[in-house]
């Protein structure tokens, strides 16, 4: 850990609450469609649509909105009441306008670390939406660099490290998703610390087991002592 | 011009065709709704929706799709046939999957310039969509840096120049939009060359007159001789 020069933080569900808001919106959506299909089945259909569309839409709220609308059409055999589409757009906009609620100890950890490290934000999602959330969070001025990525696989991290002009072993990633924030980072020779969040987004749940060769913390402030090891 | 070290290119309608595809999709959409409203009025309503939503959705195809759906709902008094929503999603996906058609002399100009300059791409739009278009264009390997921006105002260009670690007078922007590619760039002390495209996106049409204190070219290859002035 003593080689580390750059610390990158994931944003959603690492620095601030995100997934519970998406789950709230999904619940509202399933309820809207309960006359066509039981709510838990609507949820399964929505996940199916999202998986089909992830390659074309990418991650983020707008793709989620479009997938909800497409799901509503499919499960109603294209007979869905237009008012339900209107309400789907409305709950999607509510999601985009949600205020930001920071997780515990975020700001003091960033302040403590920025004295000794280059601090960056590395998140995926809609460009404008993530920039807006960062502004609303009040954390923007703590970051030396912000990278909004269309995906977080090994190749994407390699590009990021090249852009930062550092060796992989000097890069530490901190995030809540083992799939996106931890495994690809370790596999390119960088370090990663996992900070689990209470709920995991369905797309981030790993199907196969992985080697637990990374550190896990339960509170962001633990990073400070870990970095001294 | 002899101070220039970095040349940034806009992408849509500067390197490849874009706006005509959006206009084709808009025509199809207006036709879908002609039973509710004359086609030219649908177009006016769509522009109104897009303007209302630009702050929340930003630029790009997904926001455009959501605005089309919202327009269909409004002009039908929330009575639109669900099949029209389905077709709207379908023409939006067609837009996202369109192949890339390069404009004249793009590749040879980039090849000629990359020997003496750092070449970057500076475009706004959906992150994933713009990355995909760049990959499909076959031009990715010519660029030293790719910047996908949520907006292109003075502040955004200042951030870009800071990130590139150069002085403003060493930066040259080339693009088809006076509003996004030329005026903000000149106003921060950088250089800009305008290369008009046959059609201009409605959101990029300037309402007030501006001083014509920048160069205009009609073919991308003219840059090479302009840079020697």
């Amino acid at each position: 850990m003593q080689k580390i020069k750059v610390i990158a933080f994931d944003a959603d569900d690492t620095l601030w609450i995100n997934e519970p808001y998406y789950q709230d919106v999904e619940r509202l959506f399933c309820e809207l469609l309960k006359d066509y299909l039981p709510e838990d089945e609507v949820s399964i259909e929505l996940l199916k649509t999202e998986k089909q569309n992830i390659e074309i839409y990418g991650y983020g709220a707008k793709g989620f909105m479009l997938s909800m609308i497409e799901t509503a059409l499919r499960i109603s055999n294209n007979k869905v009441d237009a008012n339900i589409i209107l309400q789907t757009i409305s709950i999607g906009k509510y999601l985009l306008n949600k205020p930001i609620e920071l997780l515990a100890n975020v700001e003091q950890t960033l302040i403590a670390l920025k004295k000794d490290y280059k601090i960056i934000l590395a998140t995926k999602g809609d460009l404008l939406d993530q920039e807006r959330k960062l502004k609303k969070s009040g954390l923007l001025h703590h970051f030396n660099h912000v990278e909004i990525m269309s995906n977080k696989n090994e190749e994407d991290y390699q590009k990021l490290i090249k852009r930062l002009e550092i060796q992989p072993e000097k890069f530490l990633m901190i995030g809540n998703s083992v799939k996106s924030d931890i495994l690809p980072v370790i596999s390119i020779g960088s370090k990663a610390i996992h900070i689990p969040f209470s709920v995991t987004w369905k797309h981030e749940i790993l199907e196969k087991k992985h080697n637990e060769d990374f550190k896990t913390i339960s509170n962001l402030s633990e990073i400070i002592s870990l970095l001294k090891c």
Side-chain angles (χ1 to χ4, degrees), chain A residues 12-13 16-23 95 130 133 197:
Chain A
D12 292 336
D13 302 318
W16 54 67
I17 296 171
N18 182 66
E19 178 57 18
Y21 300 154
Y22 272 78
Q23 293 192 353
L95 189 62
Q130 293 299 60
K133 286 197 272 187
F197 186 65

Side-chain angles (χ1 to χ4, degrees), chain A residues 58-102:
Chain A
Y59 297 92
K62 286 180 286 182
F64 182 58
M65 291 167 75
L66 288 165
S67 287
M68 285 194 288
I69 295 169
E70 191 178 323
T71 305
L73 291 163
R74 188 174 68 243
I75 65 181
S76 69
N77 286 319
N78 300 328
K79 286 180 178 60
V80 67
D81 185 327
N83 278 295
I84 290 179
I85 305 291
L86 186 70
Q87 287 175 72
T88 302
I89 290 178
S90 160
I91 56 179
K93 285 188 176 177
Y94 155 86
L95 189 62
L96 284 164
N97 281 321
K98 262 281 195 190
I100 288 296
E101 202 176 330
L102 292 184

Side-chain angles (χ1 to χ4, degrees), chain A residues 162-185:
Chain A
K162 197 179 155 201
R163 186 180 269 214
L164 294 167
E165 296 174 346
I166 53 158
Q167 290 91 5
E169 64 271 23
K170 295 184 179 167
F171 179 82
L172 168 65
M173 179 75 203
I174 293 159
N176 72 300
S177 165
V178 173
K179 184 178 163 191
S180 294
D181 302 318
I182 310 299
L183 299 184
V185 176

Side-chain angles (χ1 to χ4, degrees), chain A residues 95-208:
Chain A
L95 189 62
L96 284 164
N97 281 321
K98 262 281 195 190
I100 288 296
E101 202 176 330
L102 292 184
L103 289 165
N105 301 314
V106 166
E107 188 146 27
Q108 54 265 54
T109 304
L110 293 178
I111 291 169
L113 293 174
K114 71 194 264 195
K115 284 178 278 177
D116 300 313
Y117 302 93
K118 192 169 171 178
I119 302 293
I120 76 165
L121 188 85
T123 174
K124 64 184 177 189
D126 273 337
L127 188 57
L128 182 70
D129 190 30
Q130 293 299 60
E131 284 183 357
R132 183 169 38 216
K133 286 197 272 187
L134 181 56
K135 265 187 204 160
K136 285 197 283 191
S137 75
L139 300 174
L140 178 59
H141 64 288
H142 295 307
F143 293 99
N144 298 101
H145 177 92
V146 174
E147 190 78 18
I148 299 171
M149 305 155 83
S150 61
N151 216 333
K152 278 182 165 180
N153 55 36
E154 289 176 28
E155 195 195 340
D156 301 297
Y157 281 109
Q158 258 152 350
K159 264 194 271 177
L160 172 61
I161 282 168
K162 197 179 155 201
R163 186 180 269 214
L164 294 167
E165 296 174 346
I166 53 158
Q167 290 91 5
E169 64 271 23
K170 295 184 179 167
F171 179 82
L172 168 65
M173 179 75 203
I174 293 159
N176 72 300
S177 165
V178 173
K179 184 178 163 191
S180 294
D181 302 318
I182 310 299
L183 299 184
V185 176
I186 290 174
S187 120
I188 63 159
S190 295
K191 300 280 180 200
I193 296 175
H194 184 218
I195 176 158
F197 186 65
S198 54
V199 285
T200 303
W201 189 31
K202 284 171 191 161
H203 300 266
E204 298 290 338
I205 294 170
L206 283 168
E207 275 156 23
K208 53 182 181 185

